[in-house]
Amino acid sequence: MRGRKGNRFARLLASLLDRPLPPGTRLAGRYELVEPLGMGSYGLSYLARDIGDGTLCVLKTDRLSRRWRRRPPSSLPAEAEALRACRHERVPRLLGLFRERGRWWIAMERKAGPTLESLLIEDAVRFTEAEALAFAWDVALLVKELHSRGYVHRDVRPPNLVLVPPGDGDAAGAGSAFRYGRAHLIDFGLARIIGSEPEKAGADTDVPEEKRLRRECAPRADWYALGHLLLFLLYSSYPGAPGDEPPAGESPDPGWERELELLPQTRRLLKRLLQSERAYESWPALEEDWQAALLASSCGVSSQS
């Protein structure tokens, strides 16, 4: 009973401490809050306006309830450093880091557009196998660039990919896979220097395998995430067949290998990205397999592998 009361009290306190600031609030003598954008496990984000030039940007801050719960110190300074080190046209530009109202704040460029998650779930956009491979490969190239800067993102997921229309003459934005724009990667809150120590799981040592793989401070964490991203895109055109029963004696949850009709090259790529077969150890090996899958899907034929 004490545990239930404690949980209720924690939720009540969080609702009070983490209440969004009202529109019109001014911060750092430069930014004016327009509206809240969302609240995650660790922080809150706002759409804001630069008072000087009127441009819109995003402000991100910690949840005050984390301090009451004795959570680790703010990760926002580390996130700001990651944004600074990973500066790229498809990554939000860091505008500033400051302390106000007893907590850290990051100001960053606003990436305007729908997320990949909303595009696929709310708008029911469908990708063919060839389009899924091309789109995810474009994200992989961005991830590769981040790795060359010494950082692993560790949170490459559909809600963190914003579709921004390509600029004039942007050849990479041509083709049906990019009809809604190119993916820009946001939310560097979990980004870490490659080779650094991952966060400890605390008293709970029963960490799910997927979370462990995603939280490694190594390139394979992002490769694993790219595998799930590719799978997410491929499932966008899966017909489903509600009500169908699996054959007698077979699992009711057969998994993607049975449900998706894919070229052998795509299957091989997915298995290695998802580490159900020998995991990739380098970018050249991953690129070779991805290019083979892209070529096979563009030709509509494949060789058995």
Side-chain angles (χ1 to χ4, degrees):
M1 182 65 69
R2 182 180 300 175
R4 291 181 180 178
K5 288 183 178 179
N7 289 336
R8 286 199 297 269
F9 177 73
R11 288 194 295 269
L12 175 61
L13 190 63
S15 69
L16 295 174
L17 293 177
D18 298 331
R19 182 176 298 168
L21 296 174
T25 300
R26 293 198 172 191
L27 299 167
R30 177 178 177 181
Y31 303 106
E32 182 178 87
L33 300 185
V34 177
E35 63 179 359
L37 290 176
M39 181 186 301
S41 301
Y42 301 100
L44 300 88
S45 60
Y46 298 84
L47 180 66
R49 179 179 291 104
D50 188 311
I51 300 170
D53 59 18
T55 59
L56 294 175
C57 61
V58 172
L59 294 187
K60 182 177 179 181
T61 190
D62 293 312
R63 294 180 61 169
L64 289 177
S65 60
R66 282 175 50 79
R67 185 182 306 167
W68 178 82
R69 295 175 184 176
R70 298 180 181 178
R71 298 291 186 180
S74 173
S75 64
L76 289 180
E79 182 174 353
E81 185 55 38
L83 287 171
R84 185 179 291 111
C86 297
R87 184 165 181 174
H88 189 279
E89 61 181 5
R90 291 164 63 196
V91 168
R93 181 166 55 91
L94 176 67
L95 302 176
L97 172 69
F98 58 92
R99 281 187 67 86
E100 187 156 320
R101 296 173 179 254
R103 48 182 162 169
W104 285 103
W105 295 77
I106 286 181
M108 68 191 89
E109 175 191 12
R110 175 196 181 213
K111 293 293 186 181
T115 66
L116 179 62
E117 181 179 61
S118 66
L119 199 71
L120 295 179
I121 295 178
E122 297 174 14
D123 298 336
V125 170
R126 300 292 178 252
F127 281 73
T128 65
E129 182 173 347
E131 290 171 341
L133 284 163
F135 186 96
W137 174 242
D138 192 51
V139 177
L141 290 176
L142 175 56
V143 169
K144 181 183 179 182
E145 180 64 26
L146 303 186
H147 291 182
S148 74
R149 310 284 181 89
Y151 275 84
V152 59
H153 187 272
R154 304 199 309 164
D155 205 15
V156 181
R157 300 182 297 120
N160 290 335
L161 292 167
V162 177
L163 281 295
V164 178
D168 293 338
D170 188 347
S176 57
F178 304 97
R179 59 192 179 277
Y180 297 98
R182 296 184 74 187
H184 290 227
L185 186 58
I186 63 172
D187 198 345
F188 278 63
L190 294 176
R192 295 293 183 271
I193 295 174
I194 293 174
S196 59
E197 287 293 324
E199 300 85 350
K200 293 182 180 180
D204 183 9
T205 57
D206 187 21
V207 181
E209 180 69 4
E210 179 175 346
K211 185 174 182 178
R212 184 189 67 78
L213 291 171
R214 286 180 178 271
R215 294 298 178 260
E216 290 185 14
C217 297
R220 60 177 172 264
D222 284 346
W223 296 337
Y224 182 77
L226 285 168
H228 279 275
L229 171 64
L230 178 57
L231 203 56
F232 194 84
L233 291 166
L234 291 167
Y235 262 107
S236 70
S237 57
Y238 177 63
D244 284 359
E245 296 293 333
E250 293 192 19
S251 169
D253 182 19
W256 69 268
E257 291 189 61
R258 176 183 162 186
E259 292 177 339
L260 298 177
E261 295 184 5
L262 302 173
L263 295 165
Q265 291 86 345
T266 303
R267 288 182 177 276
R268 170 182 169 81
L269 174 66
L270 271 172
K271 287 179 180 180
R272 295 194 66 182
L273 287 171
L274 298 174
Q275 301 184 30
S276 60
E277 288 189 356
R278 182 169 58 89
Y280 289 110
E281 298 178 359
S282 67
W283 272 105
L286 184 153
E287 290 185 49
E288 182 179 357
D289 281 358
W290 212 310
Q291 291 302 317
L294 282 167
L295 179 61
S297 66
S298 67
C299 296
V301 295
S302 63
S303 58
Q304 295 298 318
S305 58

